[in-house]
Amino acid sequence: MVQNNNNIAVETPEQEKKRLRKVATATIVGSMLEWYDFYLYATMAALVFGQVFFDTADPKSASLKAFATFAIGFIARPVGGMLFGRYGDRFGRKKMLVVTFILMGVCTTVIGLIPTYDSIGVWAPILLVFIRFIQGLGAGAELAGAAITSYEHASSKKRGSQGAWPAIGLNLGLLLSSFTVFILSLFGENFLLNGGWRIPFILSFILVFVGLWVRRSLPETPDFDKIVHEHKRDKAPFHDIFKFHMKGLLVAFFLALGYNALSYTFKTFSLAYLDQYKGVTADVTSLSITLASLVALFTIPCFGWMCDKWSSKKVMITGAVITLLYILPFMLLIDTANEHYIYFALIITTGFLTPMMFAAQGSFLSRQFPVQVRSTGIGTGREIGGALGGLAPLLALWLVKISPDNSTIGVIVILFISAIFVIVSGLCDQGSKFTDNKN
């Protein structure tokens, strides 16, 4: 540190680079664990959990119940988002990032140790639901905390690109988990059902140790330090966001509702649908997500750069409009059950379109609220909306099941409405009301 004319410590350029490297690593690793678990759980719920944790007398009902346990995590997320969001505004971003990371990581490992339905009967799904709920509490605050931390550490001209760091972690998690599932699937379905599915859950403890070490060394954000030193921390953030920041709350809610419904339907409904109704094997679906996630690692930095150049609002709306136009072609492509068309369909959605919308969210959501209530506002609005959006794959699968000839018209309607929500949320952006920057 060096002293300026007012005897205030100021970082040297080298110190700033070192700090930003730490922030990037901490946010990316945390998001990577969250989405490693997300895709791993979603995939196993679609392919394995119905046969492992439930009575298999009716295979399709068992699969639907397994997907319902996936949805349990989304019921817990708003509670975690509100609880840890409030604590993030009271005690700091860093502390909450450590706590939520531990919750997620430990629960992911424990899921791999739960006995099967054949071993302990109904207690198997009960344990699964309980652990999934606890895990959801941590995941509910993870993205908000990571996005805010990246945004508040960034310089005013780089908040778009640095706010996209959690999106990189997301796709690293998808890449790691989907590639793991792809490798396991090569050994056959019997291998997965007879315990092979446990391996990636148990091995996640490696990510936990690495991530915890990184996050403990993370400095607090300059924006939060400033309000602490100025004694401006909000003592009643819930009261204030509902009284003074309702517009920002609604923007976060509908954006999360629309985006999550799109993202989860593309990534999870399509897996279950292809497996149950089209007879597509797990190695094809998992490889498609692996390839798409690999593509996204290259597209996300480009989208982050675009956020700095044109604003996150424009990038996000553009992604939603293109998604709107792509919904029908997407369903037509996966309905062919042709593996090459499936690869193409999912690479476009998961490699380009959802990353385009997600990369913009870190900076877009952060500027909807002032620093004092930012964590509470994003954690509350995003996770309530995200929880409802997370139910979209379950609703879509149910609509296919009850419709004549297993039609996907209901799925198309869900995707269409979801894209509209994202577009309208972007148009309601509050701009630079709470920041000095449009990004």
Side-chain angles (χ1 to χ4, degrees):
M1 295 284 185
V2 296
Q3 303 290 322
N4 64 11
N5 294 333
N6 296 319
N7 291 322
I8 298 175
V10 178
E11 284 181 320
T12 64
E14 189 58 38
Q15 288 171 328
E16 181 184 23
K17 288 181 181 179
K18 184 177 180 180
R19 172 173 60 85
L20 291 178
R21 281 196 297 267
K22 281 186 177 181
V23 175
T25 304
T27 54
I28 288 172
V29 169
S31 297
M32 180 171 68
L33 175 64
E34 178 186 0
W35 287 85
Y36 171 84
D37 162 72
F38 159 76
Y39 182 75
L40 185 62
Y41 193 100
T43 305
M44 295 306 177
L47 303 176
V48 176
F49 286 176
Q51 300 176 67
V52 171
F53 291 116
F54 296 92
D55 186 347
T56 56
D58 182 352
K60 289 186 178 178
S61 292
S63 179
L64 203 58
K65 290 175 183 177
F67 247 63
T69 67
F70 175 70
I72 289 295
F74 290 97
I75 295 174
R77 288 180 72 114
V79 180
M82 296 170 73
L83 177 67
F84 293 113
R86 181 184 184 281
Y87 288 151
D89 285 328
R90 286 293 294 149
F91 304 114
R93 320 312 194 197
K94 173 185 174 179
K95 291 179 181 177
M96 292 309 102
L97 284 179
V98 171
V99 171
T100 57
F101 189 83
I102 292 173
L103 273 181
M104 287 193 310
V106 170
C107 287
T108 301
T109 302
V110 170
I111 286 173
L113 302 174
I114 300 176
T116 65
Y117 184 89
D118 288 341
S119 298
I120 59 173
V122 71
W123 284 105
I126 290 174
L127 283 173
L128 182 65
V129 168
F130 174 75
I131 295 170
R132 184 66 178 167
F133 185 86
I134 300 299
Q135 185 184 52
L137 294 177
E142 172 59 35
L143 186 133
I148 291 168
T149 299
S150 299
Y151 182 84
E152 292 183 352
H153 272 287
S155 63
S156 61
K157 294 182 180 181
K158 294 290 185 180
R159 285 185 159 173
S161 55
Q162 292 175 204
W165 283 337
I168 296 175
L170 179 157
N171 284 280
L172 280 171
L174 284 177
L175 177 63
L176 180 60
S177 59
S178 60
F179 182 70
T180 302
V181 172
F182 171 69
I183 295 299
L184 292 175
S185 68
L186 296 179
F187 293 93
E189 184 178 0
N190 287 335
F191 174 76
L192 281 176
L193 293 174
N194 291 325
W197 67 270
R198 297 182 184 278
I199 296 172
F201 284 96
I202 295 172
L203 290 181
S204 67
F205 78 89
I206 298 173
L207 285 178
V208 176
F209 282 117
V210 173
L212 188 58
W213 173 71
V214 171
R215 287 199 165 184
R216 285 177 62 86
S217 65
L218 184 69
E220 187 53 82
T221 72
D223 287 1
F224 185 80
D225 275 343
K226 182 179 179 181
I227 65 170
V228 170
H229 294 148
E230 295 177 353
H231 305 288
K232 291 183 178 179
R233 277 184 288 185
D234 197 313
K235 295 182 179 180
F238 283 119
H239 171 272
D240 288 349
I241 60 171
F242 283 104
K243 185 173 182 179
F244 303 113
H245 306 293
M246 182 56 74
K247 182 177 180 180
L249 198 63
L250 290 174
V251 168
F253 170 81
F254 282 105
L255 171 59
L257 173 60
Y259 170 79
N260 282 281
L262 289 170
S263 179
Y264 299 153
T265 301
F266 288 143
K267 293 185 183 79
T268 61
F269 160 79
S270 57
L271 303 185
Y273 175 72
L274 289 168
D275 174 62
Q276 294 177 33
Y277 296 96
K278 295 296 179 178
V280 177
T281 55
D283 60 317
V284 173
T285 53
S286 58
L287 181 58
S288 65
I289 298 295
T290 300
L291 295 173
S293 302
L294 186 61
V295 170
L297 294 179
F298 295 94
T299 59
I300 287 170
C302 297
F303 295 141
W305 173 82
M306 289 166 63
C307 288
D308 287 330
K309 187 172 180 64
W310 294 303
S311 87
S312 54
K313 170 184 174 179
K314 293 178 181 178
V315 172
M316 189 172 65
I317 291 176
T318 300
V321 170
I322 298 173
T323 300
L324 192 69
L325 300 174
Y326 183 67
I327 290 169
L328 184 56
F330 171 79
M331 293 307 304
L332 292 173
L333 286 168
I334 67 169
D335 268 334
T336 65
N338 180 289
E339 63 181 87
H340 297 102
Y341 289 156
I342 292 170
Y343 293 150
F344 179 80
L346 287 170
I347 285 173
I348 295 298
T349 56
T350 306
F352 288 92
L353 298 179
T354 54
M356 190 174 189
M357 291 181 281
F358 190 69
Q361 285 187 42
S363 55
F364 179 85
L365 289 174
S366 293
R367 69 167 187 265
Q368 305 305 312
F369 302 94
V371 177
Q372 292 89 335
V373 297
R374 183 170 288 158
S375 182
T376 305
I378 296 177
T380 301
R382 185 187 182 280
E383 293 309 327
I384 294 176
L388 293 176
L391 299 176
L394 182 62
L395 175 60
L397 198 61
W398 178 74
L399 288 175
V400 172
K401 181 180 180 182
I402 65 169
S403 64
D405 301 320
N406 302 131
S407 170
T408 57
I409 292 176
V411 183
I412 293 172
V413 172
I414 290 173
L415 291 170
F416 186 87
I417 294 173
S418 301
I420 293 294
F421 280 157
V422 176
I423 293 169
V424 173
S425 299
L427 293 174
C428 292
D429 177 30
Q430 299 190 89
S432 56
K433 183 177 179 180
F434 301 115
T435 70
D436 57 355
N437 186 270
K438 68 177 181 178
N439 299 320

